[in-house]
Amino acid sequence: RTARGQNKGKVVFVSEESNPKAIAVYDKINADFKKETGIEVVMEYPGFANIAKRVATLIAAGTPPEIVWYGAGQAMNLALENQLADVGDVLKATGGAADNQRLIYKGADRSIPTSQQFTYGWYRKDLFQAKGLDAPKSWEDYVKAAKALNNPPAMYGCIVPSAETGASTLLLETMFMKNNVHWFGWNATKKDYDVVLDQGEQKKRAIETLEYLNELHKYSPEASTYNWGELMSTYFTEKAASSWYVGSRLLDQTIANNPKIADATMPFELPRKLTDAYYLSVQGFHILEKSNVDGAKKYVTFFLKHPELISWYHAVPLHIIPASRQMLNSAKYQDNPVIQKRMDVLKFLDSIWTKGVPLYYWDGKELNPYIGLFHNENLAGWMLAARNIKGMKSEQVVDEAAAQVRKKMRRVG
Amino acid sequence: MVNPRAERRAWVLGTTGPALLFLAVVAYLPIAYAVALSFFKKTAFNPAMQWVGANNYRFILEEPELWNAFGRSVLFTVGSVALQLALGLVAALLLNRAFRGRTVVRSLFVLPYLLPSIVVALVFQWLLSPEYGVVNQVLMQTGLVARPINFFGGLGTAMWSVIGMAGWQYGSFATLLILARLQAINPKLYEAAAVSGAGPLRAFWDVTLPALRTTLLVIALLRGIWMFNKFDSIWLVTHGGPLKHTETLPLYAYRLAFEEFDFGLAAAVCSVMFVVLLVGAVLYFKLFDPTREIEVGR
Amino acid sequence: MAFSVRLERLDKRFGRGARAVHAVRELSLEIGEREFFTFVGPSGCGKTTTLRMIAGLETPTAGRIWFGDTDVTALPPQRRDIAMVFQDVALFPYMTVRDNVAYPLRIAGLSRAQVDDKVERVAATLGLADKLGQKPGQLSGGQQQRVAIGRAIIKEPKVLLMDEPLSALDARLRVDMRTEILRLHREISATIVYVTHDQIEAMTMSTRVAVMDGGRALQVDAPRTLFRRPADQTVATFIGTPAMNVLPASLVTTPSGPAVELLGQRLAVGPRHHAAVQGLKQVEVGVRPQAVRLVAPASDRVRGRVFLREPLGLEDEVLVETESGTRVKVVTAAGEEFPEGAAVGLELAPRDLYLFHPDSKTTVCAGLD
Amino acid sequence: MAFSVRLERLDKRFGRGARAVHAVRELSLEIGEREFFTFVGPSGCGKTTTLRMIAGLETPTAGRIWFGDTDVTALPPQRRDIAMVFQDVALFPYMTVRDNVAYPLRIAGLSRAQVDDKVERVAATLGLADKLGQKPGQLSGGQQQRVAIGRAIIKEPKVLLMDEPLSALDARLRVDMRTEILRLHREISATIVYVTHDQIEAMTMSTRVAVMDGGRALQVDAPRTLFRRPADQTVATFIGTPAMNVLPASLVTTPSGPAVELLGQRLAVGPRHHAAVQGLKQVEVGVRPQAVRLVAPASDRVRGRVFLREPLGLEDEVLVETESGTRVKVVTAAGEEFPEGAAVGLELAPRDLYLFHPDSKTTVCAGLD
Amino acid sequence: MRQIQAYATLALLFVVLVIVAFPFYWMVLSSVTPREALFQPPYKFVRLDFSLGNYRELLFATEFVRYFVNSLIAAVGAIVLNVVAATLAGYGLTRFAFAGKKPFAFGTLFSYMFPPMLMAIPLYILFSALRMRNTYTGLVLAHMAISLPLNIWLMWQYFQIVPQSLEEAAWVSGASRLRALRQVCLPSARPGILSVAIFSFALSWNDFTFAFILQTDRTMFTLPVGLASFVEQTGVHWGMVMAAAVLVSVPTFLLVFFLQRYLLSGLRATG
Ligand SMILES: Nc1ncnc2c1ncn2[C@@H]1O[C@H](COP(=O)(O)OP(=O)(O)OP(=O)(O)O)[C@@H](O)[C@H]1O
Ligand SMILES: Nc1ncnc2c1ncn2[C@@H]1O[C@H](COP(=O)(O)OP(=O)(O)OP(=O)(O)O)[C@@H](O)[C@H]1O
Ligand SMILES: [Mg+2]
Ligand SMILES: [Mg+2]
């Protein structure tokens, strides 16, 4: 079994991005890589909903892949199990990364960031203007706008997916950030994180956030799946005057499916309460321990230096945002018809560049290893659903959520 | 000269051997492995297996989630099997008559069973969507409801919607088997009932139902097992939601395995399901013994 | 009280167009109260179809059916006050014998006690008393048939219809059941309409018989009459075992009147038939196998050779091949006389000969004397 | 060349333990070369099982089977050089008649031309020439049976086995097919082993018959012998139509020797039987229905009343109930004499009486004279 | 009376027909609805402005055809193996008495009692070791686990109504057991075999769980997995998804349409 992991002639690469254009780039680079090193790269594209399961299955079967490209938050689960190799050398060789993009565990870099997504809103400028409204800047603005534009069932003001899905979870997590709510607090004496969600100010703000989203939910359609696809399709089928997404795939889909509202589709920052922070998703290469680590490092280096790299960023323009701000502002990156057409979006992205925080750095400077306990199982989504769908009291929701996390912490030990 | 006993043995082996071999490799072996797994701690990121005895069982049996899921499983299984039998029976009785275009209609009735669950799931999501669903449109246009019903997303509706969808899809399995059985009923029995003075309802009760008994029992058994283990139909439309209201045991096991990445716990849940079904099936056979009738009532 | 059944120009076609089958054609007859009336004929002649129309299980294409004074043509079977025994028994396999027999009473809504009482009486009559708890599958063919009869007679129908109830039974049982059914007919007061393809059954059981062929009734008469004065050659050959020999013959005129020349014998036609045979040159002659005597071969007789001799017990069936190649079946007393291969002479008794018209095949005279 | 078939203490049990069925018990007999040998008996007596053991389709529990000098007990059916006609015809439904008939030859690997040639000859013999292209489902019952026979005889088997080939046919067809099978037996040179439950078939077709009951052969003899000298009461009542009457009687000693007192008549026992009846007080007497004469009632005769009279054509079957309540079946000439209900006297011919031992039921004497 | 009853039956038939058939109708209609109209309720129930855009996109801009072919190959493989294994087993179970026959017959059912989703993980490990992941062979074998028990049971039932005397007639004609099986028994069992084929097809065509876990290479995806991946990537493109649903349904419908007679008589023995 051990021998299999060390097949030097082969690298298994599991990628979250399975857009056809991206796949074409992979194919091209892989072919070149094979030509140069003789190492064959085998791709797997399980899709973003399944990539964690795929990686888990592969490891469980004793055949870990060499490279996984996906969110660093997900990768943290692997790091905590000592499954990720130290990639500091590769990182150094390829230009390093900003602090909030790094994943450091046991003193070593475990992630080679390539790109990121910001969490922000999209709205129909035409509709807003017709009502004399502008992009909402405060929570009150947002409710007011949602209410003004709400005209069910033909049109809803906003979208608040309220179920135990990733979309629900990310919305609440982002809104918690906006209201400076923390799940955990750093306990300097223990040198560890404690659950603080149900305590003092945190609790008050958590309840406030839930209540706010409950108010907003009144102007949101009942989704049938509450998943990412619905955030986009509800918007581009003109069922909602505003929506939000992690990245600008929503714009991409609107252009493809309903081009006539594409030009009126504008980004906006999800409104702040106490902070401007939002959920930042950083993606990158992760190399698994006990695999063909050398081959994998060679490949990642090769990939990041390959001239086709730019086409890879252009696979979903504006959605795959380069990890490096220089690249964002480089002429080379901006040389793309969609980007050219929507330079406003690029400007917008640049304007919120530094405000995003990865979840594992939200509660403190130290990497928070416990975020998986609430994030992986969409506990925030549960909270939203419990409040908005089931009608539980916000206080009770917060208490239960905190209790859940504590229970899990005990189980993990 | 060939020894007839040896030849016979060769035939027995040669005919049942391949099936046995296939099943051993693709079914029994994996089951044995999975059952064994339930006594180990094995998480996805740590492939090493660690013996924990009955700990996994102790853990899940103490979790209220298991019992909640069990309750939902029973509801889903009983509800959807009952619906399948009812739909299958009504459809089969109707299709057993002669009318124009019967072949087309029959094919249509059998079709749902032959479609991938994903197709059925997608079609139902599309039909029942609160925003674009034609069903909601009709309900609103006829004034039956004021607001669109969130069939798969509502707490009170999700389980019933899933049951309805499963009934629609797998009812056709029942239709098929019942229809086949109906065609094998001696039509003379209906005439005998008629000349004895029985009307159509009475004849149905006295001739059709007894003849279908075995078939209905077999369908209930098979479909019961399948629905109890049904994963994809539910998962594809609700992922167990909203708020776990459709999280049956297989979805619970799936969550343990692929969201909490604890294969040992998941295997324990599956083993519990296995035992439940085994005990259920044994009781069922004791109560009804469908096989005896299969052989006699042929 | 039973009542009579009257069929009035009853007609039944199955299917349409080129593939239509005309199963029953313009059948008119009346079955008297409490008669034991039998339809007999070869397979496919329309017997079952007729019976099913009487039962109401088949709707006539044309014509009417009367039970006594009531036109029942449009009534469903449930409302005809009939009972029926089917050829393939058609017992309810999932019910016990008791439930099968009780079925019509249950439907009629009789009380449990009444039903039990009646069932026990019927079971006793049919010798099924100790089988009541069993399922039909556990019974022998004869027992099943009796259960079917039990189910039919228990509600004391006005008309009891039976479609070849015995044909699935083995030879010995068939004979026994025949007697049982006859006894039943005496005991219950129903008109029985019976269908069979076995002329022996028809002959032994019925008060009257309709011989059918091609959907038509060829002759409706008492059994004895059918045998003695068959209306035509089809009836004549159908009734009687072994079947009548039919031989071509010519009619000659002799000084004493017309005569038949058959197998070299010249047989005078009796005066009462002179009118009937007038003008005929050729006839077909029907000779029952029992009406031929085997005698020593002599030059003035047609001679033949015994081709096959089958013992029946007290009698033997002998197949004789004449010099001209005609085969004649003869029934004779069992014995060693004239073994297979032996030469033999044939002697015919004029009284037992039937003349048929060569074209229409109708009976010209029954008995030459 | 055909060969003889010898069964040596053949035994067959089905199942085990309490539910075991002993289908055939210690059966020993020899079937001669080219014989037409028939197993006859009531349903369930083990006929089919015996035939299937001869075919090799069933393995005997004990005993041996010899074909000529070869012990074939362990040979599979394929290697026994037999052919078989099954009760349920068992034609291959999706093959044409031609392919069905040709099947054994195809397996034997004959050339196409040879096969076609033979098939056409066999088809001609059986009158199937114009049916070769059809499927069995399109044929009538009789035609199907002939195809099955064709398939059996085409490879000219040494032993031809037939299991009730005629029982599915209707009465008239059955009689015709009987003659056809007999003709075949003459033409092919095979030993035929035939199974039927119909004693008439057994009697008319066979050179020898084994009457079976409960898995045993009660008597193996030529048909005539079976009829004249049945070994016991079971055989006696089984053979002959209608079945023999069996009546209880006592033996009395008269000055001129022993005599039977039966129905009020005293019938002397012939001297050749004196030894056989010695010591018996009670006997059962078998009387064939044809051996009783109906006479005018007289005081010195047992008198009875005609209970039932069924016409058979030339004869009538009459059931007489005597004053003591015994019922006696009588066959008499057709006629209006003694209608139902009439008083009647019975006269018995000593020559046609059989005495059976009251306990063992074996035949004590066949014919009193 | 009869009239009323006939109309009531007809009405019931109509209602049931609507329940069963409407989803199909809507599926077809949605698949040809122009993109602009698709998300604009209220919908018309009949429309004439057909557009084949969805189909064009499905066939030429996605991997649908490849998934379709993969599914087809897997289904054909499953049919072949199932037919062979189930037919032989059914024959053996009905024609021979042997120890352990009942346990064997019921043992097949046991494998239905374990959730397939967790059977898939051991299979995954096994197939990884055998290098059968991402192969048709592996997928077909996995599909055997879902379909073989049912099929064995079907054939076991069906062979009970294939008269033994047909085979015996062949034996006494000189045919060996194997030959009799091939020439006589199998043709008579054709309806049963066809039912087995259809069920094998259905269960293989239907399988999501095994294909999802075992087929990791995008080029080896089957239809269900492929369709599921359409959904998650881009949000549900309903028109195209409905077009895919139609294309998946059509061959299945034709299969049932033409083989219905056999299917029904093949299942006759199952009561
Ligand atoms: N339901 C039907 N549809 C079409 N044709 C039929 C139907 N029932 C009977 N027939 C045809 O009508 C004719 C008479 O059939 P019927 O069953 O009355 O004959 P039968 O005298 O009872 O014959 P058998 O002795 O074989 O039972 C036959 O040619 C038969 O094929
Ligand atoms: N395969 C079997 N298994 C168990 N019992 C059997 C089997 N075959 C026959 N028997 C039993 O053996 C006895 C003899 O049966 P067999 O078929 O030889 O009778 P038969 O004389 O041919 O009767 P029939 O005239 O009804 O065909 C019967 O009691 C029957 O139930
Ligand atoms: Mg009939
Ligand atoms: Mg038999």
Side-chain angles (χ1 to χ4, degrees), chain B residues 16 19 218 221 285 289-296 298, chain E residues 82-98 100-109 148-162 189 192-193 195-196 266-271:
Chain B
T16 57
V218 167
L221 176 69
F285 272 94
D289 194 0
T291 53
R292 178 176 51 83
E293 310 216 6
I294 288 168
E295 278 162 13
V296 175
R298 235 189 316 131
Chain E
N82 264 294
V83 162
V84 171
T87 307
L88 283 177
Y91 180 82
L93 282 170
T94 51
R95 297 302 193 253
F96 302 100
F98 56 89
K101 179 163 148 173
K102 275 237 156 148
F104 173 81
F106 290 112
T108 57
L109 276 186
L148 190 56
L150 175 70
N151 287 331
I152 289 176
W153 180 73
L154 276 177
M155 283 319 288
W156 180 29
Q157 296 298 313
Y158 197 80
F159 269 120
Q160 291 183 21
I161 63 166
V162 174
I193 292 173
S195 307
V196 164
L267 294 177
R268 195 164 287 188
T270 59

Side-chain angles (χ1 to χ4, degrees), chain C residues 14 21 23 42-49 87 164 197:
Chain C
F14 290 107
V21 175
S43 191
C45 69
K47 309 179 293 290
T48 296
T49 307
Q87 175 165 1
E164 311 206 4
H197 57 74

Side-chain angles (χ1 to χ4, degrees), chain A residues 98-144:
Chain A
D99 276 354
N100 70 348
Q101 295 170 343
R102 285 171 73 182
L103 178 68
I104 299 171
Y105 181 68
K106 290 197 175 162
D109 273 295
R110 306 290 168 176
S111 177
I112 306 150
T114 54
S115 50
Q116 51 190 337
Q117 265 108 42
F118 306 162
T119 305
Y120 53 94
W122 295 92
Y123 75 108
R124 287 276 298 277
K125 195 169 183 179
D126 51 343
L127 300 180
F128 271 57
Q129 277 178 347
K131 296 269 178 200
L133 295 165
D134 212 346
K137 292 276 188 290
S138 69
W139 282 19
E140 293 72 29
D141 281 356
Y142 198 12
V143 171
K144 223 170 72 193

Side-chain angles (χ1 to χ4, degrees), chain D residues 14-15 21 23 41-50 58 87 164 195 197:
Chain D
F14 289 107
V21 176
S43 191
C45 69
K47 310 178 295 288
T48 297
T49 307
T50 307
E58 213 79 70
Q87 175 167 1
E164 312 206 3
V195 160
H197 56 74

Side-chain angles (χ1 to χ4, degrees), chain C residues 12-15 19-24 41-52 58 87 163-164 195-197 212 215, chain D residues 170:
Chain C
K12 179 69 187 177
R13 273 169 232 253
F14 290 107
R19 286 167 50 206
V21 175
H22 206 160
V24 174
S43 191
C45 69
K47 309 179 293 290
T48 296
T49 307
T50 307
L51 200 69
R52 289 168 57 81
E58 214 79 74
Q87 175 165 1
D163 190 1
E164 311 206 4
V195 160
T196 179
H197 57 74
M212 292 189 69
Chain D
D170 81 15

